[in-house]
């Protein structure tokens, strides 16, 4: 296997980004062919490394980068990188194909293809980098691309806003334009980026390297950092970068406003790039931290922080998905929640003697989620295209007109809900349940309870979404469309085929899910043992990943059954009115209002970091700038200078005798002073 193929995976999308503007001068339509073609070539390059993965091999290729400090750039195509590169490559390719239909006729299509290709290339740098500094370049690349694509429709037309017009929380408007949303995402993720950069530089100060493999060649640097009390803070700072990029609590509020971008962008951010970058970072550094812990250098604080951050985010964002009326926002809440699951699993892995169990579960859920969430977002884009509204309350009864989309949304939705035995989501989520339950962590049962409760809520809001969109009577909005000659129809073939493929894979791979899970577990076990010397005990047929853990299995079945049943009663059969229940008493109404207003976390962020600083700045301007500077320094100094000038001017009589008298008096005064 030649290393050039690994380099090509991330270089090809950048080649596309470089030539797209030139191609666009000749033909805007051709830019789509360039983007799709080179995305396919990049994905094929990633796929060419799969045989090497199956044989237990890897590629580690380096070239001299910064000679002054002996820093090399390189690609590290080990098992997690090869798997992740294929997930990113193939899902990005399908989203590109989808975009040819979704973005057809857009006036800024050249800019769109440029940033989409740049986005994919930046993500592949993150995946294949063999050191933190090179990864950080890709890290900043996806941040820049996300800003450009979230605010893609920068003219800020009302139809491109998110939120309900006029809706407020704590007195602040919860309604955002694309340019505002793009800037919000850029700034909030930068908080995490600064933390990540600080952690990287701290490690480099002691280790003298950014390389992942080089960090474990000698652990003396870690001993010195630990003695100085800097080792845990450094890795926690690195995790801060993951918190920002993966929209985990408390840096999660940018993710909802990111829905201002084209739906193809939302699919890319949520399934293949950006938010998955944080999970991959934790998957990359987690084994290093665990290996240091096994050597007695590092404690469990890092993994506890990761696990609890994931658990809080999973539950917090899942609750918000139950009430929001915008389809893309529901899916966005779901993404943050499901990434919380992944973080919980990767954190629990380090709190367990069987590191590979949680590690495999978290990574398997990343793969599973990428498929069904990309499918759901692309399907949502088709619905928005047809209905012309982002609100589910403007839909209803669409299953008769969009039968293919209806089937595919159910298939992908069942994956998100974790439908037993036939979806990838079931096996990956069940693996997380089992890893948490078997971890033996101090707070393991609390984390387990959070995981199960979140699964119930996930099944409920997914069924709610499907029921509101496809079942029940047509909304007034749809009826008016049809009365005015509008036609509800299936999406173009270029759009429904990509999300149909991913929906089908969710079921096909799900049917063979136990085998796939076992194979992935074996691959990860060998990888961790060979690279990090992390040994694991072999499970028998009743083990967590070798078979099915009975407690986890019952919990998975119960969570799915309760959640989908409640969703069916309220939103498909509509035997009970959800609106009536919410307004039946003040407690339900208050809870609904708090959750609908995002637990007021977004409003508090604005009050603390936008409104209050602006108020303080205006106060400084009004009472210091205008009073002390403008009046005190300018007006006051001007008057004092004028008065002084008047005094001096008054002494200028023009008479020589007066000047001689003053000179003599001054001289006499000096003589008297010297005689004293």
């Amino acid at each position: 296997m030649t290393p050039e193929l690994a380099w090509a995976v991330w270089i090809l999308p950048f080649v596309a980004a470089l030539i797209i503007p030139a191609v666009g001068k000749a033909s805007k339509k051709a830019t789509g062919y360039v983007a799709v073609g080179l995305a396919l070539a990049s994905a094929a390059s990633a796929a060419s490394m799969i045989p090497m993965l199956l044989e237990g091999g890897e590629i580690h290729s380096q070239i001299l980068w910064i000679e002054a400090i002996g820093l090399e750039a390189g690609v590290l195509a080990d098992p997690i990188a090869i798997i992740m590169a294929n997930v990113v490559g193939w899902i990005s390719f399908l989203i590109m194909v989808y975009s040819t239909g979704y973005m057809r006729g857009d006036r800024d299509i050249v800019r769109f293809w440029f940033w989409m290709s740049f986005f994919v290339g930046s993500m592949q740098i993150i995946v294949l980098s063999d050191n933190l500094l090179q990864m950080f370049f890709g890290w900043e690349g996806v941040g820049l691309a996300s800003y450009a694509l979230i605010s893609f429709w920068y003219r800020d037309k009302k139809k491109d806003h998110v939120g309900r017009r006029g809706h407020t929380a704590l007195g602040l408007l919860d309604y955002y334009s694309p340019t505002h949303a793009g800037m919000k995402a850029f700034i909030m993720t930068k908080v995490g980026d600064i933390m990540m950069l600080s952690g990287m530089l701290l490690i480099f100060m002691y280790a003298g390297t950014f390389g992942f493999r080089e960090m474990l060649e000698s652990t003396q640097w870690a001993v010195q950092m630990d003695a100085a009390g800097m080792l845990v803070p450094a890795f926690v700072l690195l995790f801060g970068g993951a918190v920002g990029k993966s929209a985990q609590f408390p840096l999660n509020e940018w993710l909802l406003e990111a829905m201002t971008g084209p739906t193809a962008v939302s699919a890319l951010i949520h399934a293949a790039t950006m938010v998955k970058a944080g999970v991959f970072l934790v998957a990359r550094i987690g084994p290093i931290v665990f290996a240091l812990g096994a050597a007695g250098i590092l404690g469990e604080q890092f993994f506890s922080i990761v696990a609890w951050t994931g658990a809080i985010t999973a539950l917090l964002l899942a609750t918000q998905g139950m009430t929001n009326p915008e389809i893309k926002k529901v899916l966005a809440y779901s993404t943050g929640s499901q990434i919380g699951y992944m973080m919980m699993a990767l954190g629990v892995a380090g709190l367990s003697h069987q590191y590979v169990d949680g590690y495999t579960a978290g990574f398997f859920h990343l793969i599973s989620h990428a498929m069904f969430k990309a499918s759901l977002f692309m399907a949502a884009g088709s619905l928005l295209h047809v209905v012309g509204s982002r609100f589910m309350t403007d839909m209803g009864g669409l299953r008769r007109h969009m039968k293919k989309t209806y089937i595919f949304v159910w298939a992908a939705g069942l994956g998100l809900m974790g439908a037993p035995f036939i979806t990838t989501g079931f096996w990956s989520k069940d693996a997380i349940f089992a890893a948490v339950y078997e971890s033996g962590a101090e707070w393991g049962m609390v984390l387990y309870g959070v995981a199960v409760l979140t699964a119930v809520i996930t099944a409920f809001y997914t069924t709610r979404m499907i029921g509101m969109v496809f079942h029940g009577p047509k909304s007034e909005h749809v009826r008016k469309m049809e009365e005015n000659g509008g036609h509800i129809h299936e999406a173009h073939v270029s759009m429904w085929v990509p999300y149909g493929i991913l929906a089908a894979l969710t079921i096909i791979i799900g049917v063979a899910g136990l085998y796939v899970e076992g194979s992935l577990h074996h691959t990860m076990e060998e990888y961790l043992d060979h690279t990090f010397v992390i040994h694991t005990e072999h499970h028998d047929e009743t083990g967590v990943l070798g078979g099915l853990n009975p407690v986890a299995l019952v919990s998975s079945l119960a969570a799915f059954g309760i959640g989908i049943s409640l969703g069916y009663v309220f939103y498909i059969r509509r035997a009970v009115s959800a609106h009536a229940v919410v307004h039946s008493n003040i407690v339900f109404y208050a809870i609904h209002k708090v959750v609908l207003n995002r637990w007021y976390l977004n409003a508090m962020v604005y009050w603390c970091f936008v409104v209050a600083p602006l108020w303080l700045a205006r106060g400084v301007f009004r009472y210091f700038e205008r009073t002390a500077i403008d009046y005190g320094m300018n007006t006051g100094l001007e008057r004092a200078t004028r008065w002084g000038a008047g005094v001096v001017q008054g002494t200028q009589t023009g008479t020589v005798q007066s000047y001689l008298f003053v000179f003599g008096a001054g001289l006499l005064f000096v003589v008297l002073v010297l005689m004293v």
Side-chain angles (χ1 to χ4, degrees):
M1 178 62 66
T2 59
E4 287 78 10
L5 287 171
W7 287 93
V9 172
W10 68 264
I11 290 175
L12 287 171
F14 282 119
V15 171
L18 285 173
I19 65 177
I20 279 171
V23 173
K25 295 291 184 181
S27 170
K28 287 187 175 183
K29 186 176 181 181
T31 56
Y33 298 140
V34 172
V36 172
L38 287 176
L40 176 60
S42 174
S45 299
S48 68
M49 296 188 289
I50 293 177
M52 182 184 66
L53 168 68
L54 299 176
E55 294 170 2
E58 66 176 39
I59 294 173
H60 190 194
S61 172
Q62 294 179 314
I63 59 173
L64 186 61
W65 183 13
I66 304 176
E67 186 175 2
I69 58 175
L71 186 64
E72 295 178 314
V75 292
L76 177 58
D78 56 5
I80 64 167
I82 294 173
I83 295 171
M84 189 69 180
N86 276 277
V87 170
V88 173
W90 288 106
I91 291 181
S92 297
F93 164 68
L94 289 173
I95 293 172
M96 293 285 200
V97 173
Y98 170 86
S99 299
T100 60
Y102 185 82
M103 297 297 293
R104 183 180 289 122
D106 193 283
R107 60 186 292 180
D108 297 314
I109 191 66
V110 176
R111 178 162 55 89
F112 174 82
W113 288 122
F114 170 83
W115 284 115
M116 289 287 279
S117 298
F118 185 89
F119 210 160
V120 175
S122 297
M123 184 64 191
Q124 293 289 29
I125 287 182
I126 293 173
V127 171
L128 290 164
S129 291
D130 73 336
N131 65 84
L132 280 168
L133 183 60
Q134 185 180 330
M135 175 185 274
F136 193 71
F137 275 78
W139 198 265
E140 292 304 292
V142 297
L144 178 61
S146 67
Y147 163 71
L149 289 168
I150 291 168
S151 55
F152 180 78
W153 285 315
Y154 63 88
R155 294 171 183 85
D156 289 348
K157 295 180 179 178
K158 296 298 181 183
K159 67 181 182 64
D160 300 323
H161 284 50
V162 294
R164 290 177 295 160
R165 190 181 304 182
H167 178 73
T168 60
L170 295 182
L172 300 176
L173 194 64
D174 192 17
Y175 181 67
Y176 304 102
S177 67
T179 53
H180 182 103
M183 186 58 69
K184 181 177 181 178
F186 190 79
I187 292 174
M188 289 197 74
T189 56
K190 281 295 164 286
V191 175
D193 294 355
I194 292 170
M195 294 174 68
M196 180 180 175
L197 183 61
S198 302
M200 287 167 45
L201 295 177
L202 278 174
I203 291 173
F204 184 77
M205 283 175 59
Y206 286 87
T209 181
F210 291 107
F212 298 118
R213 292 292 169 82
E214 290 79 359
M215 288 181 192
L216 289 176
E217 289 179 358
S218 172
T219 58
Q220 186 59 36
W221 63 272
V223 174
Q224 295 174 355
M225 282 192 79
D226 190 45
M230 299 302 295
L231 189 58
V232 173
F235 279 105
V236 171
L237 284 169
L238 283 181
F239 177 61
V243 170
K245 277 290 185 287
S246 289
Q248 298 294 280
F249 179 81
L251 298 178
N252 58 284
E253 292 303 328
W254 67 267
L255 191 62
L256 282 304
E257 277 65 68
M259 297 302 99
T260 56
T263 306
V265 173
S266 302
L268 196 64
I269 289 176
H270 288 252
T273 60
M274 189 68 168
V275 294
K276 296 295 173 62
V279 181
F280 184 80
L281 173 63
V282 177
R284 177 59 85 191
I285 67 173
I288 298 174
V289 178
F290 190 81
L292 293 175
I297 302 173
L298 193 63
E300 297 180 342
Q301 299 97 320
F302 172 81
F303 291 109
S304 295
I305 292 170
V306 174
W308 276 107
T309 299
I312 292 169
T313 307
L315 183 58
L316 179 70
L317 297 192
T319 58
Q320 297 178 58
M322 294 191 299
T323 59
N324 201 278
E326 297 178 63
I327 187 170
K328 287 176 65 176
K329 276 195 172 183
V330 171
L331 294 174
Y333 282 122
S334 173
T335 295
S337 178
Q338 296 302 302
I339 288 177
Y341 265 128
M342 301 170 207
M343 292 295 190
M344 188 194 309
L346 294 174
V348 163
L351 303 175
S352 168
H353 296 298
Q354 290 289 351
Y355 182 79
V356 68
D357 291 349
Y359 191 79
T360 303
F363 206 76
F364 186 26
H365 199 55
L366 183 154
I367 300 167
S368 174
H369 178 265
M371 289 188 293
F372 59 67
K373 188 51 65 67
S375 180
L376 287 169
F377 261 112
M378 287 189 280
S382 294
L383 293 165
L384 267 64
H385 244 341
V386 171
V387 178
S389 173
R390 63 185 180 272
F391 292 98
M392 294 184 291
T393 49
D394 288 337
M395 302 178 190
L398 300 184
R399 71 185 187 278
R400 293 185 290 274
H401 303 283
M402 303 180 70
K403 294 180 181 178
K404 295 185 183 71
T405 299
Y406 176 62
I407 293 170
F408 296 145
V409 168
W410 260 117
L414 287 172
L416 175 57
M417 289 186 272
F421 309 116
I422 61 167
T423 63
T424 56
F426 167 76
W427 299 108
S428 58
K429 198 172 291 186
D430 181 79
I432 292 174
F433 285 3
V436 175
Y437 183 78
E438 295 283 335
S439 67
E442 182 180 359
W443 294 93
M445 287 300 99
V446 178
L447 292 171
Y448 187 74
V450 170
V452 174
L453 178 58
T454 302
V456 174
I457 297 172
T458 302
F460 172 77
Y461 68 64
T462 306
T463 310
R464 169 183 178 264
M465 178 187 71
I466 295 173
M468 292 181 71
V469 172
F470 293 103
H471 291 266
K474 294 179 181 179
S475 68
E476 184 180 350
H477 175 79
V478 171
R479 289 198 299 271
K480 285 183 177 179
M481 277 185 60
E482 293 179 330
E483 289 171 3
N484 295 327
H487 176 56
I488 305 298
H489 56 86
E490 190 59 79
H492 188 268
V493 64
S494 63
M495 295 171 65
W496 68 257
V497 166
Y499 60 79
I501 290 172
L502 292 172
L505 286 174
T506 298
I507 302 299
I508 293 170
I509 297 176
V511 171
L514 190 59
Y515 171 76
V516 174
E517 184 183 331
S519 299
L520 183 63
H521 181 273
H522 177 71
T523 299
M524 293 301 178
E525 191 173 29
E526 290 191 339
Y527 163 65
L528 293 171
D529 189 9
H530 176 265
T531 306
F532 303 96
V533 198
I534 297 176
H535 301 292
T536 60
E537 300 174 4
H538 293 286
H539 293 289
D540 57 25
E541 290 302 313
T542 60
V544 174
L545 288 167
L548 289 174
N549 180 281
V551 176
L553 176 60
V554 171
S555 299
S556 297
L557 295 174
F560 172 76
I562 294 170
I564 196 172
S565 297
L566 290 172
Y568 175 81
V569 169
F570 283 105
Y571 293 100
I572 294 181
R573 189 180 176 192
R574 309 198 180 201
V576 181
S577 170
H579 183 270
V581 171
V582 168
H583 291 81
S584 62
N585 62 68
I586 193 171
V587 175
F588 288 167
Y589 178 78
I591 293 173
H592 179 270
K593 185 176 181 180
V594 169
V595 175
L596 182 62
N597 286 322
R598 302 161 70 163
W599 292 91
Y600 295 104
L601 294 174
N602 184 64
M604 285 189 281
V605 167
Y606 275 87
W607 273 110
C608 293
F609 299 105
V610 179
V611 178
L614 283 175
W615 177 83
L616 179 62
R618 291 189 183 106
V620 170
F621 174 75
R622 181 180 301 168
Y623 299 109
F624 180 76
E625 182 79 13
R626 286 185 173 178
T627 303
I629 304 299
D630 289 352
Y631 183 79
M633 294 297 293
N634 294 340
T635 306
L637 183 61
E638 178 190 357
R639 290 180 177 179
T641 303
R642 189 183 300 135
W643 178 84
V647 171
V648 173
Q649 186 179 10
T651 64
Q652 306 304 306
T653 64
T655 305
V656 175
Q657 290 87 341
S658 299
Y659 296 154
L660 290 173
F661 175 78
V662 172
F663 175 76
L667 183 62
L668 179 61
F669 176 76
V670 171
V671 171
L672 291 174
V673 169
L674 292 175
M675 291 177 62
V676 173

